[in-house]
Amino acid sequence: MRFDHVVEGDMLVVGSGLAGGLAAIRGLDAGKKVIVATKGKLCWSGASAVVGGAATAIPFPEDDKAVWMKAIVEVSDYTADQEWVRDYIENGYAQMEKISEITRRHGLEGFPRDASGGYWRFSNPKYPVKTQLCSPYEILEAFEKELRQRGAVCCERVMITHLLTEEGQVKGAFGFSYRTGESWLFCVPVVVMAAGGCTFKVDTYDNCGEPFAMAYEAGAKMMAFDRGGALVRPRNAMRAGVLDNVPLAGLPQWLGARFVNAEGTELSELMTPEELNSGRLGVDAAITREVAAGRGPIYEDCTCLSPESKKLLFRLKKANCRRVQVEYGLDPMEEKIPMRREQTEQTYVPDVCNRMGGIDIDIHGESNIRGLFVAGDASAPKACAQHPFPGVEIGWAMFSGGRIGGYAVQACDRYGASDVKLCRKLAEPAVFELIQALNAHGPVTPDELKEKVMETLIPYNVNHCDEEAMKACIAKLEKVAEEMLPELGVRDFHELREYVEAKSMLWVALMIVQSEIRRKESRVGVHRRDYPMMDNVNWLKWIGFVKKDGRPEFFTEDIATPYFDVPKTITLQTRPRV
Amino acid sequence: MAVQGIDYEKCVDCGKCYDICPDDVFGMFCGKVYVRDPMGCQSCALCAMVCPSGACHINVVRPKPLPAGRRV
């Protein structure tokens, strides 16, 4: 078998967002030969490229650690891994400082500072902890420069499809370039999987759970797929908000931006208390009502901000601001932007977000496969990131990238080099699998399969589902697999990428519902009509699965509570689910 | 569709959108960019950010299918 590229190294980082980028830099710091394989452009791919907010919740040294522990553990309905939470609270700030230093080296500022020179932090009205501003584009730009200048082997537009393992030990990975069709064989003893999670959103097609599928096939223990949450969002809205343009929810709102109607009245003055409490949905309901009453259009108004805030907002939301300039010919900071009429007519659809489950890791970030480390959304984010308060997911990505990257470096020395001949042999079945896909010439496109999976999963994986509904969902997903998979057609390497994505999405969807059906209570993403109580007495457990004899074998694992006592109660869930 | 298209009167053929797009939405032919997979776009607007001439047009309205095949 002939491979176009065979690359040997110490450490392969899959993905190059906030987590992967920092993990790779840790490898370079230690003098390792680091290879970065990424599906998009280096450092601009996946979830990081569309980071909606510009806030991150990282504990500062002067903060009360007990308050942070309580906030994170409680917001996760007690499912957070308290060991990891403690580590996050104690060492998160150091990783943030490290990123600050990297961005500074390239003349950029990863975390904006206020007039007094301290990091710009906000109190969060809903949670007792503070969030601080970060500038994702500047961090990504600095990561990209750092990796290129310091000689990391950067493989862009390469999709990793298979992990190569032998006897529970990583030997390498296999992938292909979806623009050229070239095959890539990586011979490495350590893989840091930082390729994001799986997101089922009506508008995001990029994070499709391939890291989960390939790790599962290699024998990794998967955890907490039942924590997928459901959100209800307007259908015709930009991701991350009600809004058309510079999404006012979040950062601009904190800075003082507002919505106004045609008469110049501020929308918040016209909203009912229920709407004010309902976040983006409430804003959207108010917009719809105002337009129906003839007081439209509604404007997004950043003109009232101070010059400093305008400058900052433009920096942090550069892509959106630029888009407004192109599409409207308006300066978003100096002119009010009218929302288009059709975008205020919304149909509300459930939207599922599953960045909560993932590959299980120990306290050193290693999975049950030796040499497979997992960071960012791909890890079962035991520390925090399920239904997080704003910024914890970004904080976890940065923290886990740096921390787990450090552990991976140590493992490079422990495991020694990988054997090229062995890797070639291990990659053969992977090649045949992709060849088989390329030989498929059916009428169904991978995009159609993705849509079908979302159509099938989303209505069920929302609040108030019960055993019957979940069983029906499983049956439907199995039918989709049975009917659509043999009908797929893959016409080029771009579609081969989509084929791998679609297949893993289908698999993740099945695993979500199969995990949820096993939780006989309501907790985080699962709110069951037939088991409405949150049962801390019997169900303070994680649900996981591992591949055995070609099928997933499910298990539960008790959640340890060394630092925060969980009340032994059986109560209704305390936090709203949508 | 999210990417509406390229304004060829403004496009300067720099290929920056093709280079940065996380979703492989653009293709290249004879040094010219074209939109190969508009449905793959997730409106991150990075192409608009890097485009030196304002030639990339993105729509943030997402006409995706409703669950269970319902259409409006």
Side-chain angles (χ1 to χ4, degrees):
Chain A
M1 203 160 279
R2 189 174 56 81
F3 296 96
D4 298 308
H5 304 272
V6 179
V7 190
E8 289 176 79
D10 298 316
M11 179 174 156
L12 169 70
V13 181
V14 185
S16 63
L18 294 170
L22 192 56
I25 292 168
R26 290 299 297 265
L28 293 172
D29 285 346
K32 300 291 171 201
K33 184 179 176 187
V34 178
I35 308 160
V36 184
T38 178
K39 201 159 82 170
K41 180 186 168 67
L42 186 72
C43 294
W44 293 93
S45 62
S48 297
V50 289
V51 158
T56 174
I58 290 177
F60 277 36
E62 66 267 25
D63 291 355
D64 186 333
K65 293 185 169 54
V67 171
W68 271 97
M69 174 65 79
K70 184 173 186 288
I72 292 175
V73 172
E74 279 187 350
V75 89
S76 74
D77 281 355
Y78 312 111
T79 60
D81 181 324
Q82 296 186 8
E83 290 290 356
W84 267 116
V85 177
R86 195 183 73 114
D87 200 0
Y88 179 64
I89 294 169
E90 288 185 355
N91 299 306
Y93 187 78
Q95 302 302 339
M96 182 181 150
E97 285 283 45
K98 163 101 183 147
I99 294 173
S100 257
E101 187 200 312
I102 296 166
T103 49
R104 256 200 313 275
R105 266 208 297 273
H106 297 278
L108 300 158
E109 195 181 27
F111 300 91
R113 291 173 185 272
D114 59 19
S116 67
Y119 288 118
W120 205 320
R121 294 185 98 192
F122 290 90
S123 294
N124 194 314
K126 283 190 187 162
Y127 303 101
V129 295
K130 284 185 172 176
T131 48
Q132 64 270 21
L133 292 185
C134 74
S135 178
Y137 296 141
E138 285 174 80
I139 297 175
L140 294 173
E141 191 181 332
F143 280 7
E144 185 193 350
K145 285 181 175 161
E146 188 83 1
L147 291 176
R148 290 197 201 279
Q149 284 172 9
R150 293 180 60 189
V153 181
C154 303
C155 309
E156 296 172 89
R157 309 285 171 188
V158 171
M159 180 190 222
I160 301 294
T161 57
H162 293 77
L163 279 174
L164 310 176
T165 59
E166 194 193 40
E167 290 168 1
Q169 171 87 44
V170 165
K171 296 292 174 191
F174 172 76
F176 68 97
S177 162
Y178 57 81
R179 281 190 174 165
T180 64
E182 288 161 283
S183 55
W184 288 81
L185 181 66
F186 301 97
C187 310
V188 284
V190 169
V191 170
V192 180
M193 187 64 76
C198 188
T199 311
F200 297 87
K201 287 185 185 173
V202 287
D203 50 10
T204 306
Y205 269 32
D206 198 37
N207 299 344
C208 304
E210 314 93 86
F212 299 164
M214 73 176 106
Y216 165 80
E217 288 300 332
K221 201 160 102 178
M222 313 304 288
M223 201 64 110
F225 273 49
D226 59 308
R227 291 197 303 210
L231 303 160
V232 177
R233 300 199 308 185
R235 174 172 171 251
N236 286 338
M238 188 169 178
R239 71 195 149 67
V242 273
L243 265 210
D244 184 10
N245 299 311
V246 190
L248 282 188
L251 170 69
Q253 218 170 20
W254 291 342
L255 292 173
R258 52 190 198 153
F259 297 102
V260 293
N261 67 11
E263 294 162 2
T265 314
E266 200 172 321
L267 198 66
S268 59
E269 289 170 19
L270 304 163
M271 287 166 74
T272 63
E274 290 78 23
E275 285 169 349
L276 285 169
N277 268 330
S278 309
R280 289 161 182 159
L281 277 181
V283 175
D284 203 72
I287 290 170
T288 308
R289 196 186 51 238
E290 282 301 293
V291 171
R295 291 187 289 271
I298 304 296
Y299 295 91
E300 295 171 72
D301 182 11
C302 297
T303 58
C304 53
L305 300 180
S306 70
E308 293 78 34
S309 296
K310 282 180 184 171
K311 224 169 117 185
L312 183 69
L313 188 57
F314 193 83
R315 239 177 87 196
L316 303 188
K317 296 273 179 200
K318 205 155 63 180
N320 280 318
C321 291
R322 185 81 186 110
R323 197 194 70 81
V324 170
Q325 288 173 340
V326 172
E327 300 301 328
Y328 293 75
L330 295 173
D331 181 340
M333 298 303 144
E334 302 305 331
E335 289 159 290
K336 292 188 292 187
I337 310 151
M339 292 181 70
R340 289 182 184 135
R341 176 68 183 88
E342 69 270 23
Q343 273 156 286
T344 57
E345 286 180 330
Q346 296 290 9
T347 302
Y348 294 90
V349 293
D351 211 7
V352 184
C353 195
N354 183 52
R355 60 163 160 251
M356 296 82 179
I359 305 163
D360 189 39
I361 50 172
D362 64 16
I363 193 67
H364 299 297
E366 193 168 15
S367 70
N368 59 322
I369 300 175
R370 291 188 304 282
L372 176 61
F373 290 78
V374 191
D377 281 354
S379 60
K382 293 176 121 184
C384 2
Q386 66 279 38
H387 290 279
F389 34 84
V392 176
E393 70 283 42
I394 302 177
W396 170 252
M398 296 194 263
F399 162 74
S400 64
R403 192 92 174 128
I404 292 169
Y407 293 130
V409 165
Q410 293 167 11
C412 294
D413 302 326
R414 204 158 67 233
Y415 295 138
S418 182
D419 177 41
V420 177
K421 219 169 136 187
L422 175 66
C423 285
R424 283 179 179 274
K425 197 171 138 256
L426 291 172
E428 277 179 25
V431 175
F432 281 117
E433 204 185 310
L434 296 187
I435 292 276
Q436 213 170 7
L438 285 165
N439 267 323
H441 299 289
V444 178
T445 67
D447 256 354
E448 284 166 342
L449 176 58
K450 284 183 189 175
E451 284 190 8
K452 191 76 194 168
V453 171
M454 283 192 263
E455 278 181 17
T456 314
L457 174 74
I458 286 173
Y460 291 96
N461 192 30
V462 294
N463 292 344
H464 314 303
C465 52
D466 55 23
E467 183 131 351
E468 203 183 320
M470 289 180 180
K471 278 185 178 160
C473 181
I474 293 172
K476 277 190 181 178
L477 284 168
E478 281 170 349
K479 200 168 159 227
V480 168
E482 199 180 299
E483 287 176 359
M484 288 183 93
L485 282 180
E487 294 297 312
L488 274 175
V490 175
R491 289 164 297 187
D492 58 15
F493 292 107
H494 173 86
E495 282 207 345
L496 185 62
R497 161 192 159 150
E498 300 222 359
Y499 165 85
V500 177
E501 290 175 345
K503 250 182 85 171
S504 61
M505 265 182 107
L506 173 61
W507 172 80
V508 173
L510 260 168
M511 291 302 109
I512 287 173
V513 193
Q514 291 200 4
S515 299
E516 285 183 349
I517 205 168
R518 283 167 165 82
R519 187 173 282 285
K520 310 283 188 209
E521 59 141 13
S522 292
R523 194 180 295 272
V524 277
V526 188
H527 186 82
R528 292 190 55 157
R529 204 158 32 197
D530 42 358
Y531 298 100
M533 305 301 267
M534 184 161 85
D535 179 354
N536 285 344
V537 179
N538 303 301
W539 273 102
L540 200 59
K541 295 170 195 291
W542 291 305
I543 294 173
F545 59 93
V546 69
K547 190 178 177 184
K548 202 168 182 191
D549 303 325
R551 294 191 66 80
E553 187 180 75
F554 286 85
F555 59 85
T556 58
E557 210 173 281
D558 288 338
I559 299 172
T561 55
Y563 306 110
F564 183 82
D565 278 334
V566 176
K568 292 274 173 241
T569 51
I570 301 176
T571 53
L572 282 170
Q573 278 178 300
T574 47
R575 291 181 312 113
R577 296 296 109 192
V578 289
Chain B
M1 56 189 69
V3 167
Q4 289 180 313
I6 307 285
D7 182 344
Y8 287 105
E9 282 185 13
K10 290 184 180 165
C11 182
V12 294
D13 300 335
C14 67
K16 284 185 177 164
C17 52
Y18 173 76
D19 182 49
I20 203 165
C21 178
D23 301 321
D24 204 27
V25 165
F26 301 103
M28 278 286 240
F29 180 66
C30 295
K32 289 260 174 210
V33 172
Y34 68 96
V35 180
R36 68 174 297 169
D37 182 15
M39 293 308 281
C41 171
Q42 49 189 357
S43 310
C44 67
L46 290 181
C47 52
M49 186 177 88
V50 297
C51 178
S53 59
C56 289
H57 286 279
I58 304 152
N59 189 353
V60 289
V61 176
R62 311 291 316 197
K64 296 288 179 186
L66 288 167
R70 285 188 294 124
R71 311 264 163 184
V72 263

